[in-house]
Amino acid sequence: MTKSNSKKYSTILYVALAIFTAMVLRQIARWADAPLDWFCGMIRSAIYIELFIAWGVSLHRRIIQPQVRRYLTSISVLVVFWMTVRTIRYSLDECIWLMRYLWYLYYLPMLLIPLLAVFVALSLGKPDNFRLSKWTGLLYIPTAALLLLVLTNDLHQFVFVFPEDAIVWVNDYSYALGYFLAVGWVVSCTITALVVMLIKCRIPHSRTVLMLPFAPAVVALIYGVLYYFRVPWLKFLTGDMTVVFCLLIVAILECCIECGLIQSNTGYEELFMVSRLGAQITNQENAVCLASANARALTEEQRISTKTQTVSADKSMIVKSQPIGFGHVLWQENVAELTEAIEQIEENCRDLAEHNRIRQENLKTRKKILALQEKNRVSDLLHRETAGQIDLIDRMLAQYDTETDDRKRSRLLGGAAVVGAYIKRYGNLLLIGERTETADIRDLARCFDESFINLELLGVNCLHTLPSDIILATKDMLQVYRSFEAAVETSLSDLQYVWINVRKSKEGLFLKMEFVCDSDLSHLAPMANAFSFEDGAYRFTFKLQGGGEER
């Protein structure tokens, strides 16, 4: 069992234990006298509210797409609101009219939650900047109309009908047409949301797995029918309608997440195992904790030897290692090309007798060696240029292994992704600079695009407006990207907004970077041609050297 699965099953066990405790407290409150019944009821409500709050926090941490995350978080808020209103209602004994209106207020979450579920389904598979089309706002009209109908029931009794001779309007009532309209709207929105999710799903699960979210939905429908007919044993076992429906709502959405209908930010161990990288992670005792599918099996002696030197697994593969927080990471490098070149030289020296042929073969081999040396030189140059970032990632990963707060761990992983994107894109720019002195500005735009993608995972608003078809000197592009990364790393913990713009004027071509953060970036002023700090924003201006005319 993987660590993620173990954590999942532990969470399920804790939730089940909490629900069981709340059910026991309900039975105690039914038969106990005051103030024990009130105390048990409050503890029970607190258990459920804390569970739903924790669920909402976990949704915000697990869900990737901002629009989906926003709607699901809103659903969790409505569930907590529903439970809070129910708790207040049952704590009032004398104010009958207030209890009745709190009961009417149940229909705010009851009507909005299925509608938000439809919005979740429509937002799945869309980019981060996606917004629902304006026509979806029309769905609020029937929802608001039904809610208004319930809240004004005392005026027309079109939803709940109370007896004409009743002194107090509380529990003795029957259902009218408005009630069935509200229930029909709730059921249709729920079915629509699940069907749309099922249609959009592209994960190759079996039909049985994908139908999993329909199970709690069917249970909710059956429960609603039994509750309508006021079955006696139902009230004894699960008579708290609010709790039952809140738990079933959570169950439906969690089933959607579990079977992949709603994408979540989990499964890093599985991702490592199926990656193409041949790597292993070992603990301090040199035992393999995790291995990718392409990783070759190594003996314990080989794993120990990698701590001090590069180990040759065979003629075409070498193994290197690097210490991490709780052990070592071992990765494999394919040196088949280099080995083949050396063997070719040896074979040529043995087999070719004629002097001219030997010289030709030696020349070919030398070209290969020079190409490898050039490749190694560029690799060493990249390593020197990004040594600070590599060290920063090592520190972040080490801190991640020791950190216990899930939010901080997520931010550490996000920060490592930002720095890793810089290393990758800076390497691309460096390779372009080795080949030519000028390049298209779109190469710089791609660098910013990848950095922005990872910064947005940390909640940073990013935007650049770089024109196309402009040729720049590669040394200027490298300088600008280095300066950008320096500012990002300095303000990574509190960075809020990044804007990059390029403009042309009579004086030349200028690139302006603007950062909104709490960190002090003034010490980075020398890296730009101009620097200013206004309205909480740090502005760096670079004068760029054009490498040619516009295309």
Side-chain angles (χ1 to χ4, degrees), residues 91-110:
S91 64
L92 301 175
D93 295 329
E94 299 179 356
C95 192
I96 302 300
W97 69 271
L98 182 57
M99 291 177 60
R100 187 170 65 256
Y101 275 96
L102 288 174
W103 171 42
Y104 291 163
L105 202 57
Y106 285 6
Y107 282 80
L108 174 62
M110 287 177 66

Side-chain angles (χ1 to χ4, degrees), residues 387-420:
Q389 282 72 31
I390 294 173
D391 182 61
L392 178 58
I393 289 177
D394 289 340
R395 293 198 304 272
M396 285 182 175
L397 293 179
Q399 186 178 352
Y400 171 84
D401 292 328
T402 58
E403 182 59 59
T404 58
D405 185 85
D406 288 341
R407 187 175 183 85
K408 292 181 179 179
R409 285 165 63 91
S410 297
R411 288 196 66 84
L412 286 170
L413 282 180
V418 171
V419 180

Side-chain angles (χ1 to χ4, degrees), residues 67-85:
Q67 186 88 336
V68 175
R69 181 173 62 240
R70 186 159 49 249
Y71 287 131
L72 288 178
T73 304
S74 300
I75 289 175
S76 69
V77 171
L78 287 172
V79 170
V80 173
F81 171 79
W82 195 355
M83 283 298 305
T84 304
V85 171

